[in-house]
C-alpha cells in the first residue's frame, strides 16, 4: 500500500493518519486523571464487602447487629435484604444467574456475603470484622476434570432439578470430514494442554459511586465500566428502573483488559446502598478482592490433535475442551457462542477439516472466563494450534518456521472461509513471517543454538540453554455483525455523532470508552483524516450515557473496527452535507465540486472553494440552502460491521534457560503485526508492547491456582506475579500492511493481538531450549526444572 | 494524633488516626489524587511519592511516620505552567497509556535522574522495577526516562 502525504496542522499534528502525541496525556502527566477512587461528593458514604473465607458452604446464619451498632455505620445489607428487593440473584451475560450477595450458600472463596456502608472507608472495613457468619462447610469442586464425576458435589443447588455441574456442550466444524482427514494422515500428534486461569489485573481495581435522587428518581452510577451503555440497559432490565433516568458515567479507567466489562456485585451494592441511605455511596475494592472475585480468564483444559502427511502438509486439527467457568456462568461473549470465538482454532493454516467440542462445567471458583485481552477466547485457540504445530514439527524433526511457511494460508486464498466457518477478510501471511525471521536473524539464531548445543554435548556447561520460539496468529476482532452477534440480546453495532460547530471545531460522541488506548487522539485523527479538521480541533466525548449514542463498549479490540467505522462514516456524511452547503455558497452544483485537503473546490478551478471551517460557519449562517437541506453541520450514524476484521502477525521469542535452576530469561522478542493501516503508529506500537508483556507474564509467571479446599492461591500480588521491567526485554517490532477490504478505513484493530499471539511464542521458545515436547504455563523455574526431569506438574492445582 | 508535614512545599497540619496510611492521607485528606493505590501488599508501586527526596511506597508509610518530613508528589512536577523534563519524556515517548502507574513511574524516574543523570537502560529498568505497569510493557517508560536524561534540563512550556 502506498503511503499518502498527510498535511500538518498549525499545532504540528498530522491532519489524518500518522504519529501524534496523545491529547489525554495532558491530564495524566499532571496527576489530574479522573479515576473512580478520585471521586468525592458531599455526604458520600463508603461501602465494603464481607467475603466468604471458604469455597463451598451453607450459610447457617448471619448476625449483623454488632456491625450495625458501630457508631459510623449507616447500614448493613445482606442477601436477605436483597431478596426483599428481588436483587439477590441477577442474570449474567451468559443467560445464567449469579448471586449479588450469597443467600443459601457460598460457592467460591471471596464470594460477596454482606455489604457495610459507613462514614469512611476505614470504619466500613472495621465493621466487616463485627459481622458473624456461621458456615456449614461443604466439599468443594476444585478440579474441573472431576466436576462431572458421578457423586461430585452439586454447586448450583439453587437451580431447580440440577443434579450435576454441567453447563453446556458445544461443537463446531465437521466431525466426519475431520475423521476422514485424520484417517489418511501419515502423522498424528496429540497433546493435552492447559491454558491456566489468569487474571487481567489492571492497576486500578474496580469501583463505583452510585447516587439515587429520590425526588427525581434519577440514578447516576460512576463506575469502572468498559461498556457503559450495556450497563445502563442491564440495570434497567434487571432492577426495573426506567432507563431514561439511569445515567452511567465512566471517566478515566486505570486499565481494563476485559476485566471491567461485566457488572459486579459491588456496583449493584453501591446502588442499593444509595437507595437505602439516600446518599452517594462509593465502593472500591482492594487488590485481594479484585483478584479473588472479578472476572478471570482462560481455564481451558484442551486435548488437541493435529494430522499431517509425511511431507509435512497439515490435513486437519481437532480438539476437545473442558472449560472451567467457575460457579456462575458469567462469561461475556456473543450469545451464539458459549465458547466465545474458540472455534477459530484452525489459526493461520490451510486444512481439509477441523472439529472442536467444548464442555463447560461449574467449579467452586470465581466466575468469568472471557476477560483478558483474549478476543473472546482466541488466545486459547491460538495457543492450542501454535503449540500443536510445534509438537508436529518436533515429531517430524522439521524446523518449526519451515513447517509454518509450508502450511500458512496463501495470499490468493483470501477472502478465506475456514473449516469452522470464519470468513477471513484479507491476509498475506508468508511475508509477515519472513519479515519476523529477517528482523530476528533466524538462521543466525539457529546457528548460535547449534553451537551452544554442540559445546554443551562436548561437556562445556558454562552457557545457558537457548530457545527460539515462533507463533503465527490470526485474530478476529470487531464484534460484530448484528445478525450474528449480540450480548444479552443487544446487537453489537456502535453509534457515532459528530457536530461541527460554527467556528469549524468539532465534537465526536462515541459509545466506546478508552481504558488507556488513547481514543481521544485516535478518533480525532479519524475525523481529521475524513474531514480535514485538525485533530486538536476535534474533541472526542465518551463514557457518559447521557451524552453519547448507544453502543456496546470497548473490549475484544472492537473500538477501531466498530466505533472507528462509525466515526469514519459519520465524518463522510458530514462531508457530503458540507458539499451541498459549499455548492450553495459557490452557486454551483455539488457535482462540480471535488474534495481536496479539507476543502470543497470547483473542479478545474481550485481557487474557488470553501474550507470545512468556512462551510461550518456558512451552515449555521443565513445562507440560503437548497430545498430539503437543513442547516448546521452534524450527523449521526450506527455502524453495523459486515464482518469481523482479521489482523495477524508473526512473533519470535528468544530465551536463555538456566538448566540448573529452570530460570528463563527472555533475551529478545520480535513482533511483526499486520493490523492494516495504522491510524497512529505510536499508539499501535504501545498497544503491542503492552500485549507482549502480558504474553511473557502468562507464559512464565501468572496463574490463579487453587488448593484442594478451594483456597485461591493467587489472591495477592505477592502470589500472583506480574511481569516488571526486569522480566521484559526491549521489544523489537515490525509491520506489514494488509488493509481490510470491508472496513471504511481499511483498519483492523490491534489492542489484543499481542496478548493473543505472544504466549505460544514464549512457551515454544522455552520448550525448544529444554527440548521437551510440552509443559503447561506458567513456565516458572519450578515447572521448567520439573519438565526437564520429565515430570511437569498441573499448574491449576496446588503443587503436590 | 497531630501531624505536621511539608507537602509539595506547603506545611500542612492535621489530626489523623495513627493507623492512617500516607497514601490515604494524601488522596483522601489533602485531595492530592495524582498518587494512586493499587494493592494490599506493597507490591505494585503505583503509590510512589518522595519522602525527604527518596522515593517511597506511600501505602507502606504511616502518616505518623511522615511527621516532620517533606513529601513530594506528582502534582509538584509541573512548575509555573511548565512541564518537567520527565513529564515531557513520558509524553514524547508514549510512556503512558491508562496513566495509573504514571505518577509513580515519573517520581521514580526523576529520583533516579537526580542521583544518576545519565543512567543506562539497565539502570533504568532496575530503578523502576518496583512499580508495575500493565499497559506499556515498560519499553516506552525506559525510553521516556532516557529522553528526560538526554533532553531538557529544566521545565519548559509545552502546549498539550
Ligand atoms: S499501593 Fe501497591 S505498593 Fe503501594
Ligand atoms: S500506563 Fe496503565 S498501568 Fe502503566
Amino acid at each position: 500500500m502506498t503511503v499518502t502525504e498527510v498535511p500538518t496542522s498549525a499545532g504540528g499534528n498530522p491532519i489524518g493518519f500518522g504519529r501524534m502525541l496523545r491529547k489525554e496525556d495532558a491530564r495524566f502527566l499532571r496527576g489530574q486523571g479522573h479515576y473512580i477512587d478520585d471521586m468525592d461528593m458531599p455526604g458520600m458514604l463508603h461501602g465494603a464487602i464481607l467475603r466468604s473465607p471458604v469455597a463451598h458452604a451453607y450459610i447457617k446464619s448471619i448476625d449483623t447487629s454488632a456491625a450495625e451498632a458501630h457508631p459510623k455505620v449507616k447500614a448493613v445489607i445482606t442477601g436477605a435484604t436483597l431478596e426483599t428487593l428481588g436483587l439477590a440473584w441477577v442474570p449474567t451475560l451468559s443467560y445464567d444467574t449469579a448471586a449479588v450477595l450469597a443467600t443459601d450458600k457460598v460457592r467460591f472463596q471471596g464470594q460477596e456475603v454482606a455489604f457495610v456502608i459507613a462514614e469512611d472507608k476505614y470504619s466500613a472495613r472495621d465493621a466487616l470484622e463485627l459481622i458473624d457468619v456461621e458456615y456449614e462447610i461443604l466439599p468443594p469442586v476444585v478440579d474441573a476434570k472431576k466436576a462431572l464425576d458421578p457423586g461430585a458435589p452439586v454447586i448450583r443447588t439453587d437451580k431447580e432439578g440440577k443434579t450435576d455441574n454441567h453447563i453446556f456442550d458445544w461443537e463446531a466444524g465437521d466431525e466426519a470430514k475431520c475423521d476422514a482427514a485424520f484417517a489418511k494422515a501419515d502423522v498424528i500428534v496429540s497433546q493435552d494442554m492447559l491454558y491456566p486461569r489468569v487474571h487481567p489485573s489492571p492497576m486500578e481495581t474496580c469501583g463505583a459511586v452510585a447516587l439515587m435522587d429520590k425526588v427525581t428518581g434519577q440514578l447516576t452510577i460512576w463506575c469502572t465500566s468498559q461498556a457503559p451503555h450495556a450497563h445502563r440497559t442491564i440495570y434497567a432490565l434487571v432492577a426495573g428502573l426506567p432507563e431514561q433516568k439511569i445515567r452511567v458515567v465512566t471517566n478515566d479507567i486505570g486499565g481494563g483488559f476485559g476485566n471491567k466489562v461485566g457488572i459486579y456485585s459491588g456496583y449493584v451494592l453501591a446502588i442499593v446502598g444509595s437507595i437505602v441511605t439516600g446518599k452517594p455511596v462509593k465502593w472500591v475494592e482492594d487488590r485481594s478482592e479484585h483478584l479473588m472475585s472479578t472476572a478471570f480468564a482462560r481455564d481451558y483444559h484442551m486435548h488437541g490433535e493435529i494430522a499431517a502427511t509425511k511431507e509435512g502438509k497439515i490435513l486437519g486439527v481437532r480438539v476437545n475442551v473442558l472449560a472451567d467457568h467457575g460457579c456462575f456462568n458469567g462469561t461475556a461473549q456473543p450469545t451464539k457462542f458459549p465458547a466465545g470465538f474458540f472455534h477459530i482454532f484452525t489459526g493461520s493454516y490451510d486444512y481439509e477439516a477441523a472439529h472442536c467440542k467444548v464442555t463447560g462445567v461449574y467449579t467452586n471458583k470465581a466466575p468469568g472466563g472471557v476477560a483478558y485481552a483474549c478476543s473472546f477466547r482466541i488466545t486459547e485457540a491460538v495457543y492450542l494450534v501454535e503449540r500443536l504445530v510445534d509438537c508436529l514439527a518436533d515429531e517430524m524433526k522439521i524446523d518449526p518456521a519451515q513447517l509454518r511457511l509450508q502450511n500458512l494460508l496463501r495470499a490468493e486464498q483470501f477472502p478465506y472461509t475456514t473449516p469452522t466457518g470464519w470468513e477471513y477478510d484479507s491476509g498475506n501471511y508468508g511475508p509477515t513471517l519472513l519479515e519476523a525471521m529477517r528482523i530476528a536473524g533466524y538462521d543466525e539464531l539457529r546457528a548460535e543454538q547449534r553451537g551452544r548445543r554442540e559445546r554443551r554435548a562436548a561437556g562445556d556447561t558454562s552457557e545457558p540453554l537457548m530457545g527460539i520460539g515462533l507463533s503465527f496468529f490470526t485474530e478476529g476482532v470487531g464484534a460484530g455483525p448484528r445478525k450474528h452477534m449480540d450480548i444479552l440480546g443487544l446487537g453489537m453495532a456502535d453509534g457515532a455523532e459528530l457536530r461541527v460547530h460554527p467556528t469549524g471545531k468539532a465534537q465526536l460522541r462515541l459509545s466506546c470508552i478508552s481504558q488507556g488506548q488513547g481514543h481521544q487522539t485516535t478518533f480525532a485523527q479519524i475525523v481529521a483524516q475524513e474531514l480535514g479538521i485538525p485533530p486538536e480541533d476535534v474533541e472526542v466525548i465518551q463514557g457518559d450515557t447521557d451524552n453519547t449514542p448507544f453502543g456496546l463498549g470497548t473490549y475484544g479490540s472492537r473500538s477501531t473496527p466498530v466505533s472507528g467505522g462509525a466515526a469514519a462514516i459519520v465524518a463522510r456524511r458530514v462531508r457530503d452535507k458540507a458539499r451541498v452547503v459549499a455548492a450553495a455558497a459557490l452557486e454551483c452544483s455539488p457535482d462540480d465540486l471535488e474534495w481536496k485537503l479539507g476543502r470543497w473546490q470547483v473542479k478545474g478551478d481550485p481557487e474557488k472553494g470553501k474550507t470545512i471551517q468556512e462551510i461550518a460557519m456558512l451552515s449555521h449562517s443565513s445562507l440560503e440552502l437548497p430545498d430539503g437541506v437543513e442547516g448546521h453541520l452534524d450527523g449521526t450514524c450506527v455502524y453495523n460491521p459486515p464482518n469481523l476484521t482479521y489482523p495477524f502477525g508473526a512473533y519470535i521469542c528468544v530465551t536463555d534457560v538456566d538448566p540448573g535452576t529452570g530460570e528463563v530469561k527472555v533475551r529478545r522478542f520480535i513482533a511483526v503485526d499486520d493490523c492494516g493501516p495504522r491510524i497512529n503508529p505510536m499508539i499501535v506500537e504501545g498497544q503491542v508492547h503492552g500485549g507482549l508483556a502480558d504474553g511473557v507474564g502468562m507464559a512464565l509467571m501468572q496463574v490463579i491456582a487453587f488448593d484442594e479446599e478451594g483456597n485461591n492461591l493467587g489472591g495477592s500480588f505477592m502470589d500472583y506475579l506480574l511481569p516488571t521491567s526486569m522480566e521484559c526485554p526491549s521489544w523489537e517490532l515490525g509491520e506489514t500492511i494488509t488493509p481490510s477490504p470491508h472496513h471504511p478505513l481499511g483498519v483492523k484493530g490491534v489492542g489484543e493481538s499481542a496478548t493473543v499471539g505472544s504466549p505460544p511464542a514464549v512457551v515454544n521458545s522455552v520448550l525448544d531450549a529444554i527440548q521437551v515436547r510440552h509443559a503447561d504455563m506458567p513456565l516458572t523455574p519450578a515447572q521448567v526444572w520439573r519438565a526437564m526431569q520429565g515430570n511437569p506438574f498441573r499448574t491449576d492445582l496446588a503443587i503436590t | 494524633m497531630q501531624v505536621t508535614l511539608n507537602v509539595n512545599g506547603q506545611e500542612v497540619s492535621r489530626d489523623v488516626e495513627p493507623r492512617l496510611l500516607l497514601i490515604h492521607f494524601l488522596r483522601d485528606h489533602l485531595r492530592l489524587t495524582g498518587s494512586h493505590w493499587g494493592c494490599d501488599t506493597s507490591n505494585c508501586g503505583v503509590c510512589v511519592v518522595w519522602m525527604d527526596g527518596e522515593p517511597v511506597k506511600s501505602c507502606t508509610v504511616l502518616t505518623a511516620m511522615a511527621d516532620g518530613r517533606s513529601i513530594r508528589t506528582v502534582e509538584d512536577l509541573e512548575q509555573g505552567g511548565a512541564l518537567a523534563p520527565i513529564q515531557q519524556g513520558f509524553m514524547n515517548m508514549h510512556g503512558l497509556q491508562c496513566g495509573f502507574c504514571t505518577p509513580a513511574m515519573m517520581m521514580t524516574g526523576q529520583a533516579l535522574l537526580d542521583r544518576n543523570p545519565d543512567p543506562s537502560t539497565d539502570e533504568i529498568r532496575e530503578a523502576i522495577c518496583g512499580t508495575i505497569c500493565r499497559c506499556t510493557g515498560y519499553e516506552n517508560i525506559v525510553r521516556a526516562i532516557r529522553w528526560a536524561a538526554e533532553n531538557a534540563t529544566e521545565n519548559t512550556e509545552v502546549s498539550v
Side-chain angles (χ1 to χ4, degrees), chain A residues 22 35 38 287-288 372, chain B residues 31 38 40 97-98 125 134:
Chain A
R22 298 198 322 167
Y35 306 95
D38 300 342
R287 180 59 60 183
S288 310
Y372 189 175
Chain B
R31 299 294 302 149
D40 325 319
Q97 291 182 28
C98 79
R125 282 183 182 273
R134 297 293 288 144

Side-chain angles (χ1 to χ4, degrees), chain A residues 22 35 201-204 253-255 257 515-516, chain B residues 46 95-102 105 131-138 141:
Chain A
R22 298 198 322 167
Y35 306 95
S201 291
M203 291 319 294
E204 179 203 37
I253 305 185
F257 315 111
Q515 307 125 42
Chain B
V46 300
L96 66 154
Q97 291 182 28
C98 79
F100 206 72
C101 72
T102 313
M105 286 291 189
T131 297
I132 297 171
C133 174
R134 297 293 288 144
C135 302
T136 66
Y138 304 104
I141 293 178

Side-chain angles (χ1 to χ4, degrees), chain A residues 34 221-228 231 248-253 513-514 542-545:
Chain A
H34 192 16
I221 307 138
W222 295 265
C223 65
T224 46
S225 170
Q226 293 180 226
H231 279 204
V248 178
V249 184
T250 298
N251 292 308
D252 290 320
I253 305 185
I513 174 80
S514 183
Q542 41 179 212
D544 179 348
T545 55

Side-chain angles (χ1 to χ4, degrees), chain B residues 42-149:
Chain B
S42 264
N43 291 102
C44 79
V46 300
C47 59
V48 169
V49 302
W50 287 6
M51 185 155 75
D52 292 340
E54 282 295 320
V56 294
K57 289 180 173 174
S58 61
C59 71
T60 314
V61 175
L62 294 169
T63 313
M65 293 157 68
D67 187 28
R69 312 281 203 111
S70 284
I71 303 297
R72 189 174 185 222
T73 69
V74 64
E75 285 87 351
D76 196 46
L77 285 177
E78 183 183 25
Q79 292 291 330
L83 292 184
I86 192 84
Q87 292 170 300
Q88 294 172 48
F90 271 73
M91 184 174 64
N92 288 337
M93 303 318 282
H94 188 32
L96 66 154
Q97 291 182 28
C98 79
F100 206 72
C101 72
T102 313
M105 286 291 189
M106 292 193 300
M107 295 311 285
T108 308
Q110 188 57 52
L112 170 69
L113 294 177
D114 286 352
R115 269 176 285 132
N116 177 358
D118 187 27
S120 68
T121 55
D122 281 351
E123 287 169 328
I124 294 172
R125 282 183 182 273
E126 207 173 316
I128 61 170
C129 76
T131 297
I132 297 171
C133 174
R134 297 293 288 144
C135 302
T136 66
Y138 304 104
E139 176 64 19
N140 286 350
I141 293 178
V142 175
R143 291 181 193 166
I145 296 171
R146 267 311 301 169
W147 189 98

Side-chain angles (χ1 to χ4, degrees), chain B residues 2-61:
Chain B
Q2 194 71 22
V3 291
T4 303
L5 320 58
N6 186 301
V7 179
N8 295 335
Q10 301 221 316
E11 197 168 284
V12 290
S13 279
R14 289 283 195 289
D15 190 25
V16 300
E17 279 189 73
R19 63 174 173 170
L20 182 69
L21 300 177
L22 179 59
I23 183 66
H24 292 145
F25 177 69
L26 294 170
R27 289 181 51 80
D28 301 338
H29 293 236
L30 303 186
R31 299 294 302 149
L32 291 170
T33 54
S35 308
H36 299 132
W37 167 91
C39 75
D40 325 319
T41 49
S42 264
N43 291 102
C44 79
V46 300
C47 59
V48 169
V49 302
W50 287 6
M51 185 155 75
D52 292 340
E54 282 295 320
V56 294
K57 289 180 173 174
S58 61
C59 71
T60 314
V61 175

